[in-house]
Amino acid sequence: MPEKIILYGYSRCNTCRKAEKWLKKNKINFDSIDIIDNPPDKKMILKAIRQYGHKKFLFNTSGLSYRAIGAKKIKQLSEDESIEALLNDPKLIKRPLIINKDKILIGFKEIEWEEVFL
């Protein structure tokens, strides 16, 4: 079983609740952190971008904050501008965001989580 993981989530996010339920069902020890009150730092955001290969994977494209800015404008942001936007409005960050040792998971994809945790 992996060591304790960190789940950055949002209490009103259905996907985050599904992810927490899945972790509990599979008896995986985790710490839940409210992504709005305690967002990941710049180093963690940059690490996630490097791991996923592009900034686009970090954006919560179905959220109100994203829609308020607009997909076209977000796509035009540089990497630094994207990181600043994500840090300034944590609701822009796709959730849940999981930190498991050196691996970061973005969003809840059951098949991917089974490969990592089970």
Side-chain angles (χ1 to χ4, degrees):
M1 184 182 300
E3 59 191 56
K4 188 176 278 193
I5 63 168
I6 299 170
L7 180 145
Y8 285 94
Y10 179 51
S11 62
R12 294 174 54 194
C13 170
N14 286 331
T15 307
C16 295
R17 288 194 297 264
K18 286 179 192 174
E20 286 192 14
K21 185 178 178 180
W22 186 90
L23 289 168
K24 288 174 184 174
K25 178 183 137 201
N26 288 288
K27 296 178 176 61
I28 297 169
N29 196 16
F30 69 98
D31 285 332
S32 184
I33 296 176
D34 186 301
I35 199 165
I36 307 305
D37 294 336
N38 297 297
D41 61 17
K42 185 174 184 173
K43 182 180 172 187
M44 193 60 61
I45 296 291
L46 191 57
K47 185 175 181 175
I49 291 171
R50 297 288 178 259
Q51 183 181 307
Y52 277 81
H54 199 280
K55 63 183 178 138
K56 69 181 180 182
F57 297 108
L58 268 76
F59 281 94
N60 175 16
T61 58
S62 61
L64 294 175
S65 292
Y66 184 90
R67 285 184 263 157
I69 296 170
K72 183 177 180 183
K73 186 170 182 181
I74 287 177
K75 286 177 185 174
Q76 294 172 343
L77 296 175
S78 69
E79 185 175 283
D80 286 340
E81 291 168 331
S82 294
I83 292 168
E84 284 306 310
L86 293 163
L87 293 171
N88 290 330
D89 184 357
K91 288 185 179 178
L92 283 171
I93 301 171
K94 186 174 178 97
R95 343 174 258 275
L97 188 138
I98 297 286
I99 313 298
N100 178 33
K101 297 180 189 171
D102 287 334
K103 184 155 178 71
I104 296 173
L105 301 174
I106 301 170
F108 176 59
K109 299 172 192 91
E110 193 167 341
I111 293 171
E112 181 182 5
W113 283 35
E114 286 174 357
E115 290 173 5
V116 171
F117 296 116
L118 303 180

